[in-house]
Amino acid sequence: MLKCTGIGRAVFPCPGFAVISQHQGGRSMPTIYTQARRHLRITRKLKLGILHKAFITLAIIGVVLYTMLFTTTPLVHDYFHELRHNLMLIPCH
Amino acid sequence: MAAENVHLQLEWDQDPELVHPREDRLGLRIRVQRSDGSPVPAARLRIRLQAPETPWLASTDFPVVEGTTLLDHDLNLQGGVHAFQFVPPIRGSYTLSASVEPLPGGISFAPIQKSWTTTVRESADRKKNLAILLTILVVVGGISGFMIGRASRTMALAALLLMVWPPSPVKAHGSHQHSKPAPAPLQAEDTQDGDRIDLRILSSEARVGELTAIEADYRDTQGHLKPARFRLEVTQLEHDQLVFATDIAASNGSMSWQGQLFDGSTHRVTVTAAPIHAAPDQKPARAERDLEVTGVAPPLLAVVKSLGFLLLVTAAALLIGILMGRLISQQKGGLT
């Protein structure tokens, strides 16, 4: 089986390639549950260093904070507009 | 004849320490007095109100307003007093400067200039909201760090849940959508005698961070300018909040004003006017116009500063969490 090398020391089967091969071979597409199980299996085998984990955690928090409090996309901005103004240090228009 | 000495005096309608940005209106009264304490009957007054400078640590909620001019008003002062009210948009130190010079035909005095500075602080509610947000970030960062330090996979899911959990206590103020009121381009109501107001917005576009110029004339049925007492009011329609108000007596029948509308939403400019010597029960003429103020996206530096501050707090909590997690893990014999 083909191996994908990912972040850090991770070495795991390449699910995307497997899906394409199955599909091209005429077999049925895997369900969302099959995919979820595969990803869980991959995640369990994934070994990341503390620095990587801390960086990924901070990045996720950063994305959530930016989306809620800093983006100028009208739909999101309008929903959180009052919240932004009531948090003292969130710049708005 | 030697020029007389006059002096400028500023009065507040309430203690500025009790006024909070965007919530309360602050009233100011500038008095121009002669050396014996009597008011100067007529003079040329220029007032300029400067917004606070950019804070070093994190942005305010109106970064475009920081360090800009909020009011630049030239007027012919009648009776030695000029009063106005305004809503301070952001926290920080506001500087009001006033200069006064004699008018031709009036009393002679040496022109003078004076500045005052006052500080406006955030309300306790907003400080509490910020404290709640920082607490959530510290808790999320700390728990995530602890999980990473202990390398526990099952608990990492709980940390992830906390990360996407919305900060509901802070959301107690409720979300708010920008409402767009029905446009009312110009509404005018003349007096019984047929006097009317010509209201003009001189700025091609009202924009946050820039001054918007407004002019109004008071005219009789023949179209001649008539001495009048104007009242100018600017209302932010989204919150139905009066953000600026002033009274101007104009012996030439014409008034002008330059001020900044700090919120990028619809505002209503209302001018009422009556002849200077009108009876108190006389109904004034009225004109109003809605203005769509263009908001300006916050500068990148303001976003970086505030987001950086929030992430720095989270990173500190994350680091402490990791150290604590590793410490506990080592004490229990190296769970990995």
Side-chain angles (χ1 to χ4, degrees):
Chain A
M1 181 180 282
L2 280 172
K3 301 278 182 185
C4 291
T5 50
I7 312 161
R9 290 162 289 175
V11 177
F12 46 87
C14 186
F17 191 84
V19 170
I20 293 164
S21 319
Q22 283 172 13
H23 184 61
Q24 283 173 344
R27 279 186 284 175
S28 60
M29 289 282 285
T31 64
I32 190 166
Y33 301 105
T34 325
Q35 285 287 35
R37 272 199 295 276
R38 271 185 197 152
H39 281 280
L40 273 176
R41 198 168 58 239
I42 293 161
T43 312
R44 284 199 192 99
K45 285 178 186 169
L46 208 60
K47 282 184 181 171
L48 295 171
I50 282 182
L51 204 63
H52 281 128
K53 285 179 185 169
F55 181 76
I56 291 167
T57 310
L58 264 185
I60 294 170
I61 294 173
V63 167
V64 172
L65 281 177
Y66 182 84
T67 309
M68 279 179 67
L69 302 176
F70 294 91
T71 182
T72 50
T73 308
L75 197 70
V76 185
H77 165 269
D78 289 357
Y79 187 80
F80 290 110
H81 180 73
E82 277 307 300
L83 174 67
R84 288 176 178 211
H85 277 294
N86 283 300
L87 287 172
M88 272 181 64
L89 43 75
I90 310 301
C92 206
H93 58 82
Chain B
M1 188 176 145
E4 194 177 332
N5 281 330
V6 299
H7 63 271
L8 283 158
Q9 193 185 343
L10 179 68
E11 295 167 3
W12 311 93
D13 68 345
Q14 59 177 315
D15 185 357
E17 299 278 324
L18 303 174
V19 173
H20 303 303
R22 238 169 58 95
E23 290 174 10
D24 306 309
R25 204 165 43 246
L26 184 60
L28 295 93
R29 185 175 289 109
I30 297 170
R31 290 184 187 278
V32 186
Q33 293 172 321
R34 302 168 82 162
S35 44
D36 62 358
S38 62
V40 172
R44 185 81 181 155
L45 176 71
R46 184 181 185 195
I47 48 176
R48 198 177 157 90
L49 181 64
Q50 202 71 18
E53 292 299 325
T54 308
W56 65 271
L57 178 62
S59 169
T60 63
D61 47 345
F62 289 107
V64 180
V65 173
E66 292 162 5
T68 58
T69 304
L70 291 174
L71 178 68
D72 191 354
H73 193 187
D74 264 314
L75 71 152
N76 288 340
L77 188 69
Q78 306 281 328
V81 183
H82 177 67
F84 66 94
Q85 294 176 303
F86 81 106
V87 174
I90 52 175
R91 64 179 177 274
S93 293
Y94 289 80
T95 306
L96 177 76
S97 53
S99 58
V100 64
E101 54 188 63
L103 275 175
I107 65 158
S108 170
F109 59 87
I112 53 163
Q113 185 174 355
K114 200 170 176 181
S115 292
W116 301 268
T117 302
T118 190
T119 304
V120 172
R121 294 193 169 84
E122 293 283 5
S123 66
D125 281 347
R126 286 195 190 173
K127 286 178 184 167
K128 193 175 81 183
N129 287 344
L130 178 63
I132 291 171
L133 175 69
L134 293 181
T135 307
I136 289 170
L137 292 178
V138 166
V139 169
V140 169
I143 291 177
S144 306
F146 189 76
M147 299 304 133
I148 292 168
R150 283 192 71 195
S152 160
R153 288 193 190 94
T154 45
M155 290 295 278
L157 278 174
L160 194 68
L161 270 179
L162 264 174
M163 267 183 250
V164 293
W165 184 43
S168 43
V170 194
K171 254 178 84 178
H173 281 269
S175 66
H176 186 89
Q177 295 202 336
H178 276 226
S179 53
K180 295 221 168 173
L186 175 64
Q187 290 182 347
E189 203 175 299
D190 299 348
T191 61
Q192 285 173 336
D193 303 334
D195 295 348
R196 66 172 200 277
I197 297 172
D198 286 339
L199 172 61
R200 297 182 298 280
I201 312 290
L202 300 183
S203 312
S204 57
E205 181 194 35
R207 197 179 176 86
V208 176
E210 294 172 9
L211 293 172
T212 300
I214 293 167
E215 271 187 6
D217 296 335
Y218 188 70
R219 294 180 187 276
D220 61 16
T221 44
Q222 278 86 43
H224 300 305
L225 288 167
K226 209 171 159 182
R229 195 174 292 280
F230 291 91
R231 178 163 179 82
L232 168 71
E233 290 182 353
V234 183
T235 309
Q236 200 257 29
L237 293 181
E238 193 181 315
H239 297 105
D240 196 22
Q241 184 188 30
L242 184 68
V243 291
F244 188 87
T246 189
D247 293 295
I248 301 162
S251 55
N252 60 355
S254 185
M255 63 144 273
S256 64
W257 177 85
Q258 274 197 111
Q260 186 182 156
L261 308 175
F262 60 82
D263 197 356
S265 62
T266 313
H267 289 65
R268 179 163 292 164
V269 177
T270 308
V271 176
T272 51
I276 280 188
H277 302 294
D281 59 341
Q282 185 178 330
K283 197 180 168 195
R286 179 186 177 91
E288 63 185 32
R289 177 167 281 187
D290 286 359
L291 258 180
E292 189 62 51
V293 179
T294 309
V296 179
L300 185 65
L301 183 66
V303 174
V304 168
K305 267 165 64 177
S306 292
L307 184 59
F309 173 71
L310 297 180
L311 282 179
L312 200 70
V313 171
T314 317
L318 193 76
L319 186 68
I320 293 169
I322 289 173
L323 293 176
M324 284 179 70
R326 282 178 74 86
L327 196 71
I328 287 172
S329 152
Q330 279 166 9
Q331 279 175 358
K332 285 188 175 177
L335 269 176
T336 52

